[in-house]
Amino acid sequence: MPVAAPETSLPAINGGPEIVNPIPADNPIGAILLSKQHPLLLRSDFSRVSELVSQIYQNSQFQPIWFTANRSEKNLADLLSILNSAPSNALNPANYDVDRLKQLISGQNPDSSTVASYDVALTVSLVRYLHDLRQGQVEPRDVEYPVHIAPKPALDLAGLLKQHLASQTLTEVVGQFEPKTKQYQQLKQILTRLQQMGNQASSDEFKPGKMLRPGDKHPHIVYLRQRLRGMGLLGNNAATDSKIYDNDLVAAVIKVQQQQGLTADGVIGSSTAALFNQSSSEKIAQLALAMERARWIPDTTDGPMIVVNIPAFELWAFNSIDDPNPLNMKVVVGKSPSNQTPVLWEEMKYLEFMPYWNIPKTIYEKEILPKAANNEGYLASQDIELVRHQNSEEKGGGSYLRARQRPGKKNPLGRVKFVFPNTADVYLHDTPGHAAFNRPRRDLSHGCVRVSAPEQLAQFVLGDQAGWDKESIKQAMSAPKTRHVTLKRAVPVLFYYGTTFVDHQNQLRFYPDIYGQDEQLKKALNKIQATTNSSSNNQLVMSKSTVVGANP
């Protein structure tokens, strides 16, 4: 049987203590663990989770945990129940061999070597599911777009599994691995409703068949009204049976057009009509991408938090997880495709009022130096100065000249920047050019995020810090000198890429895929599915003649 491409190595996310005892090669289970291959599974290579599976069998002295002398039928039934419930988390049971496991569990009196093979197959499938549920099916650090999020902290999967198998409470382990973030739970609730609804009947599809302008009359306007109300863009007091494309509808349609980067004129052509005509299956596919991304986000704790949704061009600042009135503002993000704002999770450590702009070398060489070469006074006219920077001993010592722009009206960072140290070297900041916030599509920066209401964001960040009220912040934002303010309490910052996103009013929003990251994620997920399908076809051919031994 062809062997699938090796899985990428798994970071320490669900692991327990390191393995101390070597895996015994002369033990049937140990032999399978050492090979990291299992021909009973559609994805035979289980190297990505092999360390976790080995930890589990170390706890059992490399003896079976499912097919024991006093095997628990409840534990086996619970295992199948867990894997069969994968669609509730937008995961595919076929990826966890649920049908094959049913056959193994119902098999008759297997010998000792076959028991070892069956037992490991069950364990690998469960571990894969719990890993995918907690961390995601796709390794975010392996995709082609910029992601700067560290793996979640380790959980002792081996210990938890031993505990729940002993108490026959296996289904309870799922809750410990399912993401706790509010965004994930909101997406899951909407997914459940859509799965229960099934595809909408074609009789209520919004297909006007012609261009609709404000004031036009059409029988399908009733369906448009239903869609907009479902999206939370139309009040319940609005008319329900009118067939006229009235002002309330026009205003709501314009908002959707703005979100999607279309011409916001309220005229409904084919592109706009398509936005209101998604089937439930299409929405479920979008939710699956959103839930995969939400699995990458660390579990949040209560307290202040800042979220930037990149394709929405918006920032939310929450005082708590359930803050009903978060601070909300427009933002400008990195330009597609060359200067994408990365997905990241960091902690804001400090603010700088009236900051210097340390000009990145690439920007200086490509944009500023050519202008300076043609104009001797250009650097001085832009308040740009060259300063000597001393390298640390870790970087080999020595020094070099770098360019920086002094604080002032010409400085692109404006009057304040909000800093959360990160490897991508991006941050939030003010800007002297506020006209850009009036554009419907705002991917215009070199990668940092410009905020439309910097004073309000500073008030949010410094809200519980003594000596910083609205007036003192305003003074600092107009002072002649730079002022560094360290936060007494760090504020988590999430840069998120959510083309399908649930807002704080629990409304599902759809945004344009400005960086093409949806397509990249689809390809990565489809690759997993293609491997499963390919292996399934191969196994169908072999299943009539192959006898499984202890050493796959």
Side-chain angles (χ1 to χ4, degrees):
M1 183 181 71
V3 177
E7 297 179 340
T8 55
S9 60
L10 175 69
I13 44 160
N14 296 338
E18 292 185 3
I19 298 175
V20 177
N21 298 327
I23 299 173
D26 57 351
N27 175 285
I29 286 177
I32 299 172
L33 298 178
L34 288 170
S35 74
K36 301 180 184 180
Q37 300 284 331
H38 206 309
L40 283 178
L41 302 178
L42 296 178
R43 287 179 289 160
S44 59
D45 184 331
F46 64 92
S47 56
R48 191 180 189 190
V49 296
S50 62
E51 182 178 334
L52 304 179
V53 177
S54 297
Q55 289 170 5
I56 290 168
Y57 283 107
Q58 184 190 17
N59 282 356
S60 71
Q61 304 301 310
F62 300 98
Q63 296 303 307
I65 62 174
W66 305 97
F67 296 98
T68 60
N70 299 310
R71 84 181 206 177
S72 168
E73 298 300 330
K74 183 179 187 303
N75 283 342
L76 292 169
D78 285 348
L79 169 62
L80 293 178
S81 175
I82 289 170
L83 300 183
N84 275 319
S85 68
S88 67
N89 280 289
L91 296 171
N92 186 352
N95 290 342
Y96 312 105
D97 296 272
V98 65
D99 291 335
R100 178 58 56 88
L101 298 190
K102 288 178 184 177
Q103 296 174 7
L104 304 186
I105 290 172
S106 62
Q108 299 297 317
N109 301 320
D111 59 34
S112 59
S113 62
T114 307
V115 163
S117 183
Y118 285 10
D119 207 87
V120 176
L122 267 63
T123 304
V124 169
S125 295
L126 179 61
V127 171
R128 275 176 165 162
Y129 176 73
L130 295 177
H131 162 261
D132 289 354
L133 183 62
R134 178 169 169 80
Q135 294 284 359
Q137 302 166 88
V138 174
E139 169 55 62
R141 286 150 290 276
D142 290 345
V143 292
E144 296 178 4
Y145 49 85
V147 179
H148 297 260
I149 297 180
K152 293 177 184 175
L155 294 180
D156 181 10
L157 175 54
L160 288 169
L161 186 57
K162 182 177 181 180
Q163 170 192 331
H164 286 289
L165 287 176
S167 61
Q168 299 191 76
T169 56
L170 188 61
T171 55
E172 294 180 11
V173 78
V174 176
Q176 294 171 283
F177 285 81
E178 185 176 296
K180 307 298 191 300
T181 60
K182 186 175 181 179
Q183 181 67 199
Y184 186 88
Q185 293 300 321
Q186 288 173 312
L187 289 166
K188 184 180 178 181
Q189 291 171 9
I190 295 172
L191 174 69
T192 299
R193 292 201 298 268
L194 287 173
Q195 288 172 333
Q196 292 170 348
M197 288 170 54
N199 277 319
Q200 296 173 341
S202 58
S203 59
D204 66 353
E205 288 182 335
F206 177 64
K207 290 185 176 179
K210 64 175 184 177
M211 188 173 291
L212 294 180
R213 301 180 184 279
D216 284 355
K217 188 175 183 179
H218 193 283
H220 281 200
I221 290 297
V222 175
Y223 305 142
L224 173 63
R225 204 178 296 274
Q226 292 172 357
R227 301 288 194 279
L228 291 169
R229 184 171 284 110
M231 295 168 69
L233 296 174
L234 202 62
N236 292 325
N237 296 328
T240 57
D241 56 357
S242 173
K243 299 175 182 178
I244 298 175
Y245 185 30
D246 58 30
N247 291 337
D248 289 340
L249 294 177
V250 172
V253 168
I254 287 175
K255 187 169 184 179
V256 174
Q257 290 173 328
Q258 289 174 336
Q259 291 176 348
Q260 297 297 319
L262 299 175
T263 301
D265 55 6
V267 176
I268 301 177
S270 58
S271 296
T272 299
L275 300 176
F276 304 107
N277 214 29
Q278 278 187 314
S279 66
S280 293
S281 60
E282 289 171 327
K283 290 180 181 178
I284 286 171
Q286 288 295 109
L287 284 167
L289 295 180
M291 291 176 72
E292 176 69 8
R293 287 192 176 105
R295 294 183 191 105
W296 303 345
I297 304 172
D299 292 331
T300 54
T301 56
D302 199 18
M305 181 178 177
I306 295 171
V307 178
V308 172
N309 188 0
I310 297 166
F313 309 115
E314 289 195 2
L315 175 150
W316 290 266
F318 301 89
N319 282 301
S320 65
I321 293 174
D322 297 314
D323 187 348
N325 297 302
L327 175 64
N328 176 231
M329 67 187 69
K330 296 178 180 180
V331 299
V332 170
V333 301
K335 187 173 179 59
S336 176
S338 56
N339 296 304
Q340 296 182 21
T341 294
V343 174
L344 62 77
W345 172 278
E346 296 291 350
E347 289 191 334
M348 186 182 295
K349 303 289 189 180
Y350 63 92
L351 282 68
E352 278 189 5
F353 291 108
M354 300 304 292
Y356 281 87
W357 179 36
N358 293 312
I359 304 172
K361 183 179 179 181
T362 53
I363 296 177
Y364 181 76
E365 291 178 348
K366 292 181 180 180
E367 300 180 22
I368 296 175
L369 197 56
K371 296 177 182 178
N374 295 323
N375 183 351
E376 186 176 335
Y378 178 77
L379 295 183
S381 70
Q382 298 300 311
D383 293 329
I384 295 174
E385 59 188 14
L386 299 177
V387 295
R388 186 162 294 280
H389 179 74
Q390 189 70 33
N391 275 326
S392 63
E393 292 184 5
E394 291 80 4
K395 293 183 178 181
S399 64
Y400 65 93
L401 285 176
R402 70 177 183 187
R404 70 177 185 180
Q405 191 169 34
R406 290 186 288 272
K409 294 181 179 180
K410 296 179 180 179
N411 189 309
L413 303 188
R415 299 160 294 164
V416 59
K417 74 173 181 177
F418 306 82
V419 183
F420 33 96
N422 60 88
T423 55
D425 196 25
V426 294
Y427 40 85
L428 297 162
H429 66 86
D430 180 25
T431 175
H434 281 252
F437 294 112
N438 295 323
R439 298 188 184 188
R441 177 162 174 162
R442 297 188 291 276
D443 56 318
L444 305 166
S445 79
H446 287 95
C448 289
V449 175
R450 308 170 193 167
V451 299
S452 59
E455 188 173 328
Q456 290 176 266
L457 187 59
Q459 291 171 22
F460 171 86
V461 172
L462 296 171
D464 60 354
Q465 198 149 321
W468 289 101
D469 55 17
K470 186 175 180 179
E471 186 58 34
S472 58
I473 289 172
K474 187 176 292 186
Q475 290 176 2
M477 291 178 69
S478 59
K481 293 184 178 180
T482 302
R483 185 167 182 181
H484 181 107
V485 181
T486 301
L487 300 181
K488 292 182 178 178
R489 179 182 181 181
V491 178
V493 176
L494 172 65
F495 282 7
Y496 186 66
Y497 193 88
T499 53
T500 303
F501 186 78
V502 184
D503 67 15
H504 67 284
Q505 295 177 330
N506 208 32
Q507 295 297 325
L508 186 63
R509 308 290 189 192
F510 296 96
Y511 300 104
D513 183 17
I514 59 171
Y515 293 162
Q517 292 185 8
D518 277 1
E519 289 305 313
Q520 293 181 46
L521 185 53
K522 284 178 188 175
K523 288 179 181 177
L525 292 170
N526 288 341
K527 187 175 182 180
I528 295 172
Q529 193 61 47
T531 302
T532 300
N533 292 338
S534 174
S535 299
S536 178
N537 292 334
N538 289 327
Q539 287 196 8
L540 285 173
V541 173
M542 298 185 63
S543 61
K544 296 180 180 180
S545 58
T546 301
V547 176
V548 177
N551 296 295

